[in-house]
Amino acid sequence: MPRTAILIVAAGKGERAGRAGPKQYEPLTGQPMLVRTVQAFPDWPVRVVIGPGQEALYRGAMGPDAPEPIAGGPRRQDSVRLGLEALAGDPPDFVLIHDAARPLVSRAIIARVIAALEAGAAGAAPMQAVADTLRRKEGECWITVPREGLYRAQTPQGFRFADILKAHRDHAGTDATDDVAIAGLAGLAVEAVPGEESNLKVTTEKDFILAERLLAGETRSAMGYDAHRFTAGDHVWLCGVKVPHDHGLEGHSDADAGLHALTDAILGCISAGDIGQHFPPTDDRWKDAPSWKFLDHAHALVKQKGGAILHCDVTLICERPKIGPHRQAMRARIAEILSLAIDRVSVKATTTEGMGFTGRREGLAAQAIATVRLPSNSDAAGQG
Ligand code: MG
């Protein structure tokens, strides 16, 4: 596997009208834009090039575990060159150079750039065909400019590290607005991969509003259901709590129907199949397993997509044991497993008035619904 490093260029003064600070440190849905941009690259080492005097801003935004910032130069291309020089001591195979002002870059775009490099391209960059009619004013006339062959360049722009470093060194004095331009001067062939409208460069106040809307993403809800049969025993596990009872529950794991239903609900929110696919009952690893592990796994899958669980609600259906005395402990345990505030976790109980298998006390059942927020640039949101 080729080693890929990410270089984020955040050296611009980029001051927004009426605001004091550089735009890359301005909040977007509660987090500095730069933090959002760095978080878009969770699987690669990231270095950030910052502007003069921005070190305190950088450390304040990024926290104590931030990678050491690289001091940039007066122009963008100077900052990129200094960034590449900083990586040259331990050179990666590929480098992706990305603007801090594009926090909405999707995993799909990143994957396309890397795939093109892996397939042998000297460089690869996302490009968007121009859809609007283009005009140029000549005197009193508007001349239509043919848009065929015109593209809007986005980032990340990816290159073989040694090639782009040499290109920047050789052309350090010339003006260039991005790295495709520098690559062009060096005769490197850059392949276009599809960009995305949502990968906008946040520049104006309107862009901030649009980016916040996109980052707010979408919410999804899904349900889960499970049932287990009573067997001999002296306790049952329900919603992660050991409840004394005159029977146990039959199952391959600890038979916690509440957590199983909730795990399926969370998997459903990200269309990730069901609990049986992830933890087959034929697999001895899950024999007598505590079910919080299943829930934790589903939660990890949501986090991998950049998502967060907003709320969950479990209904336990049984005549016995009585759920009421354990309800608070169950909510607390689920909240603990999912790192949620307890007011985002609901546990309810009902009987079936003596009807059906739960009424006959042959077993118990559980239903759950979960609500998850996913970023609009997650693979799950249809851009993968
Ligand atoms: Mg089950």
Side-chain angles (χ1 to χ4, degrees):
M1 277 287 282
R3 285 173 61 223
T4 299
I6 311 298
L7 190 65
I8 292 178
V9 192
K13 284 197 283 288
E15 281 156 4
R16 298 167 70 195
R19 305 226 188 173
K23 67 177 178 183
Q24 60 271 33
Y25 297 101
E26 286 287 307
L28 266 183
T29 57
Q31 278 192 303
M33 185 186 346
L34 177 61
V35 173
R36 296 248 169 234
T37 307
V38 170
Q39 284 173 349
F41 297 90
D43 300 329
W44 302 272
V46 174
R47 294 291 300 275
V48 179
V49 187
I50 63 170
Q54 292 179 358
E55 189 162 336
L57 269 174
Y58 174 81
R59 293 196 189 279
M62 298 286 292
D65 300 329
E68 202 53 28
I70 301 164
R75 294 169 302 179
R76 185 186 187 280
Q77 66 191 87
D78 303 317
S79 294
V80 173
R81 180 171 41 78
L82 291 165
L84 293 170
E85 295 286 2
L87 299 181
D90 179 23
D93 300 300
F94 301 153
V95 62
L96 269 54
I97 303 165
H98 187 66
D99 291 332
R102 293 187 193 270
L104 285 150
V105 60
S106 70
R107 287 174 192 227
I109 290 186
I110 299 164
R112 287 197 282 268
V113 171
I114 292 176
L117 295 174
E118 285 176 344
M127 307 266 192
Q128 278 289 92
V130 174
D132 296 327
T133 294
L134 297 179
R135 294 256 158 76
R136 189 177 62 235
K137 197 165 189 190
E138 284 187 10
E140 291 305 303
C141 295
W142 286 102
I143 309 296
T144 301
V145 179
R147 65 182 174 219
E148 285 70 36
L150 287 182
Y151 290 87
R152 291 182 293 143
Q154 298 185 341
T155 70
Q157 300 180 350
F159 305 91
R160 281 156 213 292
F161 179 78
D163 293 350
I164 196 67
L165 175 61
K166 181 173 188 309
H168 269 277
R169 283 175 177 168
D170 290 350
H171 300 279
T174 43
D175 259 330
T177 53
D178 71 355
D179 302 287
V180 170
I182 294 283
L185 293 172
L188 299 173
V190 176
E191 190 175 307
V193 301
E196 286 164 10
E197 282 299 326
S198 57
N199 185 23
L200 75 158
K201 188 169 187 177
V202 178
T203 308
T204 65
E205 197 65 40
K206 274 185 182 160
D207 297 334
F208 268 86
I209 293 165
L210 179 56
E212 290 216 321
R213 273 191 208 152
L214 290 167
L215 275 167
E218 58 172 311
T219 55
R220 293 184 181 190
S221 295
M223 60 167 291
Y225 174 84
D226 194 30
H228 282 266
R229 184 186 293 275
F230 282 127
T231 185
D234 60 7
H235 69 273
V236 296
W237 283 95
L238 284 174
C239 295
V241 172
K242 189 176 180 178
V243 177
H245 189 47
D246 56 9
H247 283 81
L249 285 170
E250 208 173 283
H252 184 68
S253 64
D254 64 8
D256 187 333
L259 292 192
H260 293 183
L262 181 54
T263 301
D264 262 357
I266 293 167
L267 291 173
C269 290
I270 52 170
S271 305
D274 59 35
I275 193 169
Q277 274 173 261
H278 292 268
F279 303 98
T282 48
D283 189 334
D284 267 352
R285 271 183 302 167
W286 313 120
K287 178 135 181 55
D288 302 323
S291 295
W292 65 263
K293 289 189 177 178
F294 308 155
L295 191 58
D296 185 56
H297 175 74
H299 185 205
L301 293 179
V302 170
K303 285 189 285 188
Q304 260 176 36
K305 292 189 180 295
I309 297 168
L310 296 181
H311 182 259
C312 55
D313 178 34
V314 180
T315 302
L316 298 169
I317 306 161
C318 57
E319 303 291 329
R320 287 287 184 275
K322 284 272 184 212
I323 302 304
H326 306 283
R327 183 205 305 268
Q328 282 307 104
M330 291 172 176
R331 292 178 67 205
R333 179 65 184 128
I334 292 171
E336 180 185 24
I337 298 165
L338 296 177
S339 306
L340 280 178
I342 195 161
D343 68 352
R344 291 177 181 270
V345 178
S346 160
V347 173
K348 313 197 297 291
T350 187
T351 72
T352 50
E353 303 279 334
M355 298 177 286
F357 71 89
T358 57
R360 292 189 300 270
R361 306 187 186 197
E362 294 166 13
L364 57 73
Q367 291 180 338
I369 187 157
T371 303
V372 160
R373 185 179 58 223
L374 291 167
S376 41
N377 62 344
S378 81
D379 297 346
Q383 293 186 2

